[in-house]
Amino acid sequence: MGTSTTVSSALLTRFQAVRSLTDSLSEPLCAEDQVVQSMPDASPTKWHRAHTTWFFETFVLPRRSGGHAPFHPAYGYLFNSYYEAVGARHARNERGLLSRPTVDEVAAYRRHIDTAVGDLLTGEPLDDATATLIELGINHEQQHQELLLMDIKHLLAQNPLRPEYAEPWQQPSSTEPPPLQWHEHDGGIVPVGHQGEGFAFDNESPRHDVLLAPFRLADRLTTCGEWIEFIDDGGYERAELWLSDGWARRCDEQWDAPLYWHREDEHWRVFTLRGDRPVNPAEPVCHVSFFEADAYARWAGARLPHEAEWETVAVEQLDAGPLEGHFLDDGPYHPTAASSTWRHHPVRQLFGDVWEFTSSPYIGYPGFSPAAGAVGEYNGKFMSGQMVLRGGCCVTPWNHIRPTYRNFFPPHSRWQFGGVRLASDDD
Ligand SMILES: [Fe+2]
């Protein structure tokens, strides 16, 4: 079955908007910024720009009736991330050594592929499978927009000059968080996972039932002020609060505060994409690992939510009103205090601000099977040794998130915008 002209036109509009946003996110960066790789997990901006383009060139354009001649014979090798089915690739930890192609050449690559995808969307009738792959490419690029900002933040933070990605944010943020209250839920047998017509990644399916005991979910995120209490109470020195692997990692890497925090004259400061500034005690704590989140929850006499608990509350909230949250489109590039957020819902900050750690390991839902072919490598092969995070963050595009969305990171990772929402058993 073919896709209608209206659908193709809507897809083209979204394709162009997403591609243009990636370019605008790169604009504040000079060529030198865009080339360097600060650690194996983080990729250079130039690589993100080229790799997202490669995705469309590799998975979409060969489906054109006349086929597709590669833009450059080496780009398939340079910009394939992890797709074994597509062939060999440049080492992930050596992406920062690619001084060529230049930033300008990558920009030309982007323009060329944009034109080709535009021609495809306005020319011949589109088959459903191709439309689905373009949709996947759009969502893939949105994931890389967030990665681009996470990775450039990590790079800029290594520089003693403390360079700003953008001007300091001028809108005042409250310094007094509302008191934490508990949202009670009866539990029961609840449906979990994606259903319906809209886009979702394969890891959000199949939809299935989960049995939940009655539970309580914090009505806001854990704040920096609460995290300072944890630090001051010896949270980073007390092994009994930590999982064994977490304690080992804390010792090896000498964690004593969230990533990007540093102490100056007895006061905590934080490096943000909008410069180095004092920690605001009312803002959600950010850039902690799962191990730290878990230790904090134990210290607080609580626990992290199961992903099904989080999703159940999020779905009920969206059934009752609009999606609220602070996202990439809002502009601070940093989480915002709860007291300045909208208050249409009983549980604040579920979406945006920080990715919320859950206690759930990232595994396939019952009956999960990856898609056939190379795109089946997108999510399924990473279902080992990682934890699920929910809700999106302050550098997630607002139209990229859903209540069923499952992000995942290793339990020691700190450079993603990860934060904490407490849960507890209802007793
Ligand atoms: Fe990718």
Side-chain angles (χ1 to χ4, degrees):
M1 206 172 81
T3 299
S4 72
T5 311
T6 314
V7 172
S8 292
S9 161
L11 211 47
L12 177 62
T13 302
R14 291 186 43 241
F15 171 78
Q16 289 170 335
V18 167
R19 297 286 288 169
S20 146
L21 178 58
T22 304
D23 290 335
S24 69
L25 292 175
S26 315
E27 266 167 25
L29 301 169
C30 62
E32 289 85 349
D33 291 332
Q34 296 195 39
V35 174
V36 179
Q37 179 171 28
S38 58
M39 64 167 173
D41 282 338
S43 298
T45 299
K46 184 177 71 175
W47 188 90
H48 284 299
R49 297 175 67 193
H51 163 71
T52 46
T53 306
W54 166 88
F55 193 94
F56 287 106
E57 182 174 40
T58 303
F59 297 121
V60 173
L61 292 182
R63 303 179 66 86
R64 289 198 296 189
S65 56
H68 171 72
F71 177 78
H72 188 288
Y75 284 11
Y77 178 83
L78 292 179
F79 301 123
N80 175 5
S81 52
Y82 54 68
Y83 294 87
E84 301 283 351
V86 178
R89 72 211 68 94
H90 184 67
R92 180 166 175 262
N93 61 351
E94 294 182 359
R95 290 171 184 166
L97 302 181
L98 299 174
S99 59
R100 311 294 174 89
T102 64
V103 167
D104 285 346
E105 286 166 339
V106 166
Y109 179 39
R110 287 184 67 85
R111 287 194 297 273
H112 181 86
I113 299 303
D114 284 350
T115 301
V117 174
D119 289 348
L120 175 62
L121 279 164
T122 51
E124 56 202 278
L126 208 58
D127 64 83
D128 286 347
T130 305
T132 300
L133 285 166
I134 294 173
E135 186 70 58
L136 181 64
I138 289 171
N139 279 272
H140 171 254
E141 183 137 353
Q142 289 187 305
Q143 290 186 312
H144 276 274
Q145 289 168 349
E146 178 169 335
L147 290 167
L148 186 158
L149 290 172
M150 281 164 51
D151 294 354
I152 199 66
K153 182 174 183 177
H154 190 266
L155 173 67
L156 295 176
Q158 313 309 312
N159 190 327
L161 297 176
R162 316 296 274 171
E164 295 167 357
Y165 169 78
E167 296 280 306
W169 191 243
Q170 299 299 344
Q171 292 181 22
S173 187
S174 168
T175 54
E176 273 296 319
L180 188 152
Q181 296 182 318
W182 292 101
H183 176 72
E184 312 263 347
H185 197 282
D186 293 337
I189 297 174
V190 297
V192 166
H194 178 73
Q195 74 170 359
E197 293 286 298
F199 175 84
F201 288 111
D202 58 357
N203 61 8
E204 299 167 56
S205 294
R207 189 168 165 88
H208 60 287
D209 285 340
V210 171
L211 173 61
L212 297 181
F215 65 96
R216 304 188 305 169
L217 196 64
D219 75 339
R220 63 160 170 75
L221 295 167
T222 296
T223 63
C224 294
E226 289 163 336
W227 202 268
I228 290 171
E229 290 177 37
F230 170 68
I231 294 172
D232 291 346
D233 195 39
Y236 279 92
E237 279 93 52
R238 293 164 53 186
E240 75 271 19
L241 295 172
W242 293 70
L243 292 169
S244 175
D245 287 346
W247 183 248
R249 181 69 70 152
R250 172 255 166 261
C251 294
D252 283 351
E253 300 189 6
Q254 302 183 327
W255 294 342
D256 62 359
L259 183 64
Y260 304 131
W261 282 31
H262 61 105
R263 210 194 277 267
E264 198 173 286
D265 300 330
E266 299 303 307
H267 297 290
W268 287 108
R269 294 181 64 83
V270 60
F271 178 76
T272 77
L273 283 165
R274 291 181 175 274
D276 191 280
R277 61 167 171 77
V279 165
N280 178 346
E283 287 173 356
V285 71
C286 194
H287 294 295
V288 294
S289 61
F290 166 81
F291 289 137
E292 290 162 284
D294 174 81
Y296 174 85
R298 193 165 293 108
W299 172 80
R303 62 173 172 79
L304 298 176
H306 186 284
E307 66 170 316
E309 293 173 332
W310 190 98
E311 182 172 320
T312 299
V313 173
V315 166
E316 288 174 0
Q317 183 157 302
L318 277 195
D319 284 347
L323 186 148
E324 297 175 338
H326 296 116
F327 295 100
L328 171 63
D329 318 72
D330 297 293
Y333 309 138
H334 199 72
T336 306
S339 54
S340 61
T341 64
W342 303 281
R343 189 70 205 259
H344 293 138
H345 298 298
V347 181
R348 284 173 282 208
Q349 302 171 305
L350 267 178
F351 297 100
D353 285 309
V354 295
W355 284 104
E356 302 180 21
F357 281 107
T358 72
S359 60
S360 303
Y362 178 55
I363 56 176
Y365 284 160
F368 170 77
S369 69
V375 293
E377 296 185 49
Y378 198 106
N379 284 310
K381 71 181 188 181
F382 299 110
M383 290 176 171
S384 166
Q386 312 210 52
M387 304 303 293
V388 173
L389 299 90
R390 294 298 197 113
C393 76
C394 55
V395 293
T396 307
W398 76 270
N399 59 358
H400 183 64
I401 200 68
R402 300 170 286 284
T404 58
Y405 196 114
R406 308 173 79 201
N407 201 355
F408 51 91
F409 279 92
H412 62 271
S413 292
R414 309 173 90 202
W415 97 111
Q416 79 277 20
F417 287 73
V420 184
R421 180 184 303 277
L422 295 177
S424 77
D425 299 320
D426 191 13
D427 48 23

